[in-house]
Amino acid sequence: MKKATGRIALYMHAGSGNHGCEAIADSLLRQLAASGAPRPVTLVTNSAEEDLRYGLGTFGADVEILEEQAIAARRLTHALYYGWRAVSRDRESFLRYRLAPLTGRGRPALAVSIGGDNYYPSMVKDLELANSMLNRQGTATLLLGCSIEPPLLTGDGAEAAALREDMRRYALIIAREGRTFRALREAGIPEAKLRQIPDPAFALPMNARVTLPDGFELALPVFEDGAETPVMKGGTVGINLSPMTGEYAGDPALLLRSVEGLIGHILAETDMKVALIPHVVWGRSDDRAPLSALQACFQGSGRVFTVEDQPAEDLKGIIGRCRFFIGARTHASIAAYSTEVPALVLGYSVKALGIAEEIFGTAENYVLPVQELREEQQLIRAWEWLLAHEQEIRRRLRETMPGYCEAALENGRAVQEVYRGLAE
């Protein structure tokens, strides 16, 4: 069989300051190397500096990291492109400039969009333009790890129709949960172009040797009253909160008060510690901002501490040692699920609901949509349910996670299959 002549490129990677983006890129690059993909794989990134800082540069010759061109940082270039677009109505011109590593010489045979949950209303147009542009130049495209709000796909208006047309351009779409998969199918996307595979971050290795923060306490199994199975005592509750969650909540101040109330409840009613764990540290969306406000509320408790920023594998190693995890960022919760830690997700979109349904068969009690938060006791009640059902949740995760994480390795194999098929 002939081999495809071009390379594989990953694009729409926002940078590793979002450790969810890092986790996707890290895991997928490992999978592609294991599947025998041609080397180097090109990673087109919004920030090469971030990727190198957090360790994606350690892939060496297997990965070529190229940075997008930031048109807004170059006034003259920006003005020229703006003028050209105004005269020519060439809406793709900004994207051609931004994604120059994909549109110049040596264009890839296959471009894989790894910003799978980027299909928010504010970003849809750029994604559609990039996909159209790449297809027109002869580059096949693949959408990986996607979650898309069903109403965006199934509506009757022109925007939904344009999105459906965009989806049909992809050679393959990999949905990471059933809600999105079913919405794509109901929107008329051919089933031959659809796969459902868990998010690649489920297969990200955890650093089991990571240094745990000062104050972190491991839970201990204790046998009580001749019981055959132990119950857990002590330990640490990991908590993640993000500015983005506040944007979706009806009352951002209520959300912060609810988490503050929950921490106070944990300190008063249990002997557990609380670790505040940031998972995104961008200036435009920094988890450390709300977490710092929470830390200040409990500064003198001696039982609440903040985890320092570090690579995704290290954060997964810390989250994986928690007894419970309560988090807003999707990939922080994936780190908990995949290390068999009972988790409550402060969700705001289809991805939180869909992933929980895949693992537990329901999102009820496992996801608290922040849009539905009406009073502070809701979060405490959700925590009490998690605590009361700890053993059955752990049992469920022990039964399902090994196979689920193994299934996430299909992402790399699916990319390689599409690439090989280009030459047939």
Side-chain angles (χ1 to χ4, degrees):
M1 177 175 27
K2 293 189 301 179
K3 293 183 179 179
T5 55
R7 67 192 192 282
I8 295 174
L10 313 181
Y11 74 110
M12 290 301 173
H13 171 57
S16 293
N18 181 323
H19 295 300
C21 297
E22 178 199 356
I24 292 172
D26 187 324
S27 182
L28 185 58
L29 289 168
R30 292 173 186 273
Q31 293 177 40
L32 290 174
S35 70
R39 303 178 186 184
V41 173
T42 300
L43 176 66
V44 181
T45 177
N46 188 255
S47 176
E49 184 276 327
E50 289 180 8
D51 296 330
L52 294 172
R53 186 195 328 158
Y54 293 110
L56 291 186
T58 59
F59 285 98
D62 290 341
V63 178
E64 173 189 42
I65 299 177
L66 299 178
E67 191 164 279
E68 297 174 1
Q69 296 191 136
I71 195 168
R74 297 171 174 84
R75 290 185 178 181
L76 178 58
T77 302
H78 194 180
L80 290 172
Y81 269 81
Y82 188 86
W84 168 256
R85 191 172 69 171
V87 171
S88 67
R89 305 297 183 188
D90 179 3
R91 297 192 306 145
E92 294 175 0
S93 58
F94 279 19
L95 270 298
R96 280 199 302 275
Y97 183 85
R98 173 183 162 187
L99 299 177
L102 301 179
T103 59
R105 290 185 175 181
R107 296 169 178 172
L110 177 63
V112 182
S113 176
I114 61 172
D117 64 352
N118 285 342
Y119 274 88
Y120 298 112
S122 62
M123 299 179 65
V124 166
K125 290 302 178 187
D126 277 356
L127 290 162
E128 290 175 349
L129 288 171
N131 191 18
S132 173
M133 172 188 69
L134 291 168
N135 273 264
R136 187 159 36 256
Q137 74 177 20
T139 297
T141 54
L142 187 156
L143 178 60
L144 184 139
C146 73
S147 287
I148 303 173
E149 296 290 342
L152 292 178
L153 287 162
T154 57
D156 295 328
E159 291 182 352
L163 183 55
R164 290 191 291 270
E165 181 182 356
D166 177 56
M167 293 293 113
R168 292 188 184 97
R169 292 190 186 101
Y170 288 108
L172 181 67
I173 302 171
I174 301 175
R176 62 180 165 187
E177 33 75 22
R179 287 193 175 206
T180 294
F181 180 85
R182 290 188 294 273
L184 286 162
R185 188 172 56 192
E186 291 166 11
I189 309 306
E191 288 218 31
K193 287 192 171 190
L194 299 178
R195 294 276 302 274
Q196 184 180 333
I197 303 174
D199 190 293
F202 275 94
L204 179 74
M206 65 175 277
N207 181 2
R209 297 184 177 182
V210 66
T211 300
L212 296 174
D214 291 341
F216 195 101
E217 183 178 286
L218 295 172
L220 296 175
V222 176
F223 288 88
E224 294 183 335
D225 301 326
E228 294 183 2
T229 57
V231 295
M232 307 301 289
K233 296 292 185 181
T236 300
V237 181
I239 291 182
N240 164 262
L241 194 59
S242 79
M244 177 175 283
T245 315
E247 294 170 7
Y248 282 86
D251 183 348
L254 173 60
L255 175 61
L256 192 62
R257 289 198 309 273
S258 296
V259 179
E260 179 186 342
L262 173 62
I263 295 173
H265 180 82
I266 292 171
L267 297 183
E269 300 297 329
T270 79
D271 58 356
M272 287 182 262
K273 304 287 187 67
V274 174
L276 306 175
I277 306 177
H279 214 255
V280 176
V281 293
W282 286 331
R284 60 188 183 275
S285 183
D286 194 335
D287 295 355
R288 292 172 297 188
L291 293 178
S292 294
L294 291 170
Q295 178 71 73
C297 295
F298 300 97
Q299 196 62 50
S301 69
R303 292 168 60 192
V304 180
F305 55 91
T306 301
V307 173
E308 293 184 359
D309 178 41
Q310 50 203 292
E313 291 178 41
D314 294 351
L315 289 172
K316 187 168 185 175
I318 292 171
I319 291 171
R321 301 290 187 86
C322 291
R323 181 174 168 185
F324 296 96
F325 184 76
I326 299 164
R329 295 288 185 181
T330 300
H331 285 88
S333 67
I334 287 175
Y337 289 146
S338 57
T339 54
E340 301 176 11
V341 174
L344 171 67
V345 181
L346 301 174
Y348 56 87
S349 71
V350 65
K351 55 189 176 181
L353 297 168
I355 292 172
E357 287 171 349
E358 295 304 313
I359 297 170
F360 300 105
T362 179
E364 187 176 359
N365 296 315
Y366 299 100
V367 179
L368 176 59
V370 294
Q371 298 92 329
E372 298 177 9
L373 195 61
R374 299 290 180 266
E375 45 93 12
E376 296 174 28
Q377 290 300 311
Q378 278 179 264
L379 184 53
I380 292 175
R381 288 194 296 271
W383 154 257
E384 290 290 352
W385 187 93
L386 194 74
L387 184 61
H389 293 81
E390 177 181 10
Q391 293 306 313
E392 64 186 76
I393 296 170
R394 288 185 176 277
R395 187 161 51 249
R396 174 72 175 180
L397 291 171
R398 281 196 302 269
E399 292 170 353
T400 60
M401 274 303 107
Y404 200 78
C405 294
E406 179 69 23
L409 296 173
E410 287 296 320
N411 284 283
R413 291 190 278 267
V415 171
Q416 180 73 319
E417 286 170 12
V418 171
Y419 177 78
R420 287 173 176 164
L422 296 176
E424 294 180 350

